[in-house]
Amino acid sequence: MVNKILLTSKFGNNIFTRSSISDFFRKLNSLKDKEIKLDFKGVEFISRSCADEYFKQKKISKKKIIEVNISKSVFEMFRNVCIQYKNVGSEIPFRISRARGLLFN
């Protein structure tokens, strides 16, 4: 069975700080589950720095992380960070799909 975590129970409706994402992933990575579903239902905002940190933490995590219920505004911020990576010539870590979450390239 996949462990499902409702992100509003950890962050509320807004995710503001890079350190909150780092702390969250530290706890997430200590779980025994190999696959975790992160439910973004109710999360209306994520800052650009948090979206960037989310990408970095997801990339180094050994967990299979599946995102569900990503709002349009959160999706757009993830998309903007991917565009920023592309514009500065950095590797784009993920393809994004509102329906399918963040997918490794």
Side-chain angles (χ1 to χ4, degrees), residues 21 25 49-60 77-83 85 92-96 102 104:
I21 294 292
F25 267 88
S49 63
C50 287
D52 178 58
E53 188 65 24
Y54 185 92
F55 284 154
K56 290 175 181 175
Q57 293 295 325
K58 181 174 177 172
K59 187 173 183 176
I60 61 174
M77 186 59 74
F78 283 140
R79 185 175 139 317
N80 290 339
V81 170
C82 281
I83 290 168
Y85 283 144
I92 300 171
F94 302 97
R95 290 178 287 118
I96 58 174
L102 306 174
F104 281 106

Side-chain angles (χ1 to χ4, degrees), residues 4-39:
K4 184 175 182 180
I5 299 172
L6 183 62
L7 293 181
T8 54
S9 70
K10 306 294 181 190
F11 300 103
N13 293 25
N14 303 298
I15 307 173
F16 289 112
T17 65
R18 191 178 284 272
S19 63
S20 66
I21 294 292
S22 296
D23 292 343
F24 175 73
F25 267 88
R26 189 172 22 263
K27 293 172 187 170
L28 183 121
N29 288 324
S30 71
L31 298 174
K32 293 180 181 179
D33 306 274
K34 293 182 183 194
E35 186 172 319
I36 299 171
K37 190 175 284 190
L38 297 181
D39 191 343

Side-chain angles (χ1 to χ4, degrees), residues 46-77:
I46 185 169
S47 70
R48 196 217 61 79
S49 63
C50 287
D52 178 58
E53 188 65 24
Y54 185 92
F55 284 154
K56 290 175 181 175
Q57 293 295 325
K58 181 174 177 172
K59 187 173 183 176
I60 61 174
S61 178
K62 294 185 179 2
K63 306 288 184 188
K64 179 178 181 182
I65 299 170
I66 302 162
E67 296 83 6
V68 296
N69 298 319
I70 298 174
S71 70
K72 182 177 180 181
S73 62
V74 171
F75 174 82
E76 288 299 321
M77 186 59 74

